[in-house]
Amino acid sequence: MQSAALDAPVIVMPVDAPPESPADASSRPAHAAAGNGGGARRATRIGLMSVSLGTAGLGGLWQSAAATVDAPLGVSDVLFVVSALAWVVLLAQYLRHGGARWRNVLDDLHHPGQGFALAYVPIIGMLTTGHFARFGVDGARWAYALFALASAVIAARLLAHWVSGGLGAAPLHPGYLLPVVSGPFIASTTASAVRLPDAAAAAFAVGVLYWLAFGTVVLGRLVAGGLPGPARPTLTVLTIPPAVGGLAWTAAHGGRVDSVGQGFAGLVLFTVLIVLFLVPHVRQDGFHVGYWVFSFPAAATGNFLVRWLHGADVPGRQSLTWLVVALVSGAFLVLYAATLRYAVRAAGRHRAVADA
């Protein structure tokens, strides 16, 4: 991008929702629990947006590489286009299966295990807007305002529901930080990309406050009670808030890494160390689309590391940047290939059942 502000890193921090438990199902509103396949299909479409978010996350990493080591920006453009196309298709299907009705949206938001996933929608919109802002800042500002407002409404509605006892017996996991912490940090980063410094500062403040408040609650519950097996992969998302928070701070300060930026670097590196020790606990048997939960922390951490390497003038930063980009991109290539293979096999099984 053409300026420090427009070079602001673009990141995503999504997480796949764990499967619905009987306790989750019993806590849904009566008309939703009776619910039809429409609710399940809506949840599936929103859950699949993790693929779109992950692709945008990889695009953000390549965007940072383009700004720091002259990597081809076209790679990032292609990744964001693919992400946006997937977003459009999945959002259209969500609306088709009842997502255009406010009552259905409220039901989905109030789901104790998966309600936070609706925050994917405006977050992807903000990320795409920030990336392509170089083609027209004025239009990008209007689009950003729309998506940022939607993100704020979703986060506020969710938080109001949660603090009034709406979560019930659902176990807290880091995915709940998506709308109320990571969303504001991403809004701050995108505001810097569209040259709205006041909005960037305001969104950053929201992210910090609710990271300290709600993040403490989530971490305390994790220490006290742990997580059931299906939700354990979300533990890797612990790296996302410090990574996107650090990206938002450096974006607002022209890419420079000051003492606050170094503080974020310390948080990121320490959290990555924790996650490495958690690997045996989050490993899953057999591949499924939920594996995309592991891609987002990798993209966020890689993006922050690239910005930190150059903002802090770390020796060997050029080579280290390409190493980070190669490792994360290689992991994504494996994930894309495994996902394609999984989809082909699933289609084959469906055809076999239909022919039976």
Side-chain angles (χ1 to χ4, degrees):
M1 294 198 173
Q2 302 303 313
S3 68
L6 287 181
D7 276 343
V10 180
I11 265 299
V12 295
M13 37 14 55
V15 51
D16 265 348
E20 181 176 35
S21 68
D24 290 341
S26 65
S27 62
R28 288 175 73 86
H31 58 270
N36 41 46
R41 286 191 291 268
R42 290 196 306 274
T44 298
R45 270 55 180 190
I46 293 299
L48 285 175
M49 281 197 176
S50 61
V51 179
S52 173
L53 284 163
T55 302
L58 184 60
L61 173 60
W62 275 90
Q63 180 183 348
S64 291
T68 55
V69 295
D70 294 326
L73 185 58
V75 175
S76 183
D77 288 341
V78 169
L79 289 167
F80 271 100
V81 167
V82 172
S83 172
L85 289 175
W87 179 81
V88 168
V89 170
L90 292 170
L91 180 59
Q93 292 180 348
Y94 175 80
L95 295 174
R96 176 188 174 191
H97 292 295
R101 298 178 181 175
W102 179 241
R103 191 177 78 168
N104 289 341
V105 173
L106 285 180
D107 289 343
D108 296 336
L109 279 172
H110 293 171
H111 189 287
Q114 301 177 17
F116 65 89
L118 273 176
Y120 290 177
V121 177
I123 285 175
I124 295 174
M126 287 191 292
L127 295 174
T128 305
T129 297
H131 178 74
F132 291 111
R134 67 186 190 274
F135 295 112
V137 174
D138 290 339
R141 286 174 175 173
W142 284 105
Y144 166 73
L146 175 64
F147 290 125
L149 177 62
S151 181
V153 169
I154 289 174
R157 185 70 181 97
L158 282 170
L159 194 56
H161 178 64
W162 294 341
V163 300
S164 61
L167 282 177
L172 283 175
H173 56 74
Y176 292 105
L177 301 177
L178 170 68
V180 298
V181 177
S182 300
F185 281 148
I186 288 175
S188 176
T189 303
T190 308
S192 294
V194 297
R195 304 173 191 171
L196 295 173
D198 291 341
F204 184 83
V206 173
V208 168
L209 174 62
Y210 288 96
W211 185 20
L212 293 174
F214 201 61
T216 302
V217 174
V218 171
L219 186 60
R221 288 283 291 272
L222 289 175
V223 171
L227 278 176
R232 285 180 183 172
T234 63
L235 292 170
T236 60
V237 181
L238 288 170
T239 62
I240 296 297
V244 295
L247 287 168
W249 181 266
T250 56
H253 293 81
R256 297 184 303 276
V257 175
D258 55 13
S259 57
V260 176
Q262 293 288 14
F264 275 106
L267 289 170
V268 169
L269 295 176
F270 182 71
T271 309
V272 167
L273 184 61
I274 295 174
V275 170
L276 289 177
F277 283 112
L278 287 171
V279 168
H281 301 282
V282 302
R283 188 173 50 199
Q284 301 287 291
D285 295 328
F287 179 82
H288 49 81
V289 179
Y291 262 72
W292 278 89
V293 71
F294 301 116
S295 70
F296 308 126
T301 303
N303 198 337
F304 177 78
L305 287 176
V306 166
R307 292 289 177 166
W308 173 73
L309 287 169
H310 290 265
D313 291 328
V314 176
R317 55 189 174 277
Q318 300 286 114
S319 299
L320 290 172
T321 293
W322 281 114
L323 177 62
V324 170
V325 172
L327 289 175
V328 176
S329 299
F332 267 84
L333 287 175
V334 172
L335 187 56
Y336 285 129
T339 302
L340 180 61
R341 182 182 180 188
Y342 177 83
V344 170
R345 287 186 172 183
R349 288 194 297 269
H350 290 160
R351 284 195 297 269
V353 170
D355 293 340

